[in-house]
Amino acid sequence: MSWAGPDDVLLSTSLASYLDKKLLVLLRDGRKLMGILRSFDQFANVVLQDACDRVIVGELYCDIPLGLYVIRGENVVLIGELDLDKEELPPNMTRVSEAEIKRSQKAERDATDLKGSMRKRMEFLDFD
């Protein structure tokens, strides 16, 4: 039986291979951040340079610039390298301004809230 030394394990599981590469970081609250990985530690705290928050509502999207951004490791769900040779988004997606995406987010939230409140009002019908 062969044993992988500690260096082998660290190299295969470490974020070191992602240093200086453009990443997508999915956070617990659902946000999707993109940026260049500049630093990390043993708790998966990461520092992204030229970070932006990619907001998607339906077929609209906006990259909101954040600059240099520190992310606490406990908020990270997924980290993945972006393939710079491929298109990041499907062709049907439309880039809009930050103001427009915020309006779209609010409309989507309001529609979800209305649906939830309508469902509560109709609970007495017991469709099951």
Side-chain angles (χ1 to χ4, degrees), residues 8-107:
D8 296 332
V9 174
L10 288 176
L11 286 176
S12 65
T13 60
S14 173
L15 291 172
S17 61
Y18 291 130
L19 277 172
D20 302 324
K21 294 187 178 164
K22 189 169 185 181
L23 302 182
L24 172 71
V25 181
L26 180 63
L27 302 181
R28 280 194 325 190
D29 64 4
R31 286 185 296 160
K32 294 164 275 313
L33 304 181
M34 297 185 316
I36 299 166
L37 181 65
R38 291 298 181 207
S39 185
F40 67 93
D41 65 13
Q42 71 270 27
F43 304 109
N45 296 318
V46 296
V47 177
L48 295 180
Q49 179 183 349
D50 300 329
C52 65
D53 184 0
R54 168 144 306 161
V55 180
I56 299 173
V57 179
E59 293 185 354
L60 304 177
Y61 81 97
C62 179
D63 291 336
I64 300 170
L66 303 171
L68 191 64
Y69 208 74
V70 178
I71 304 168
R72 190 173 168 112
E74 66 183 28
N75 293 316
V76 174
V77 174
L78 177 96
I79 295 179
E81 182 179 358
L82 291 173
D83 187 345
L84 300 177
D85 295 332
K86 291 188 179 177
E87 281 294 319
E88 291 181 19
L89 294 164
N92 61 324
M93 298 295 288
T94 305
R95 183 180 201 127
V96 295
S97 70
E98 188 174 339
E100 177 65 27
I101 204 74
K102 289 195 184 288
R103 280 193 297 274
S104 298
Q105 276 183 308
K106 183 177 180 338

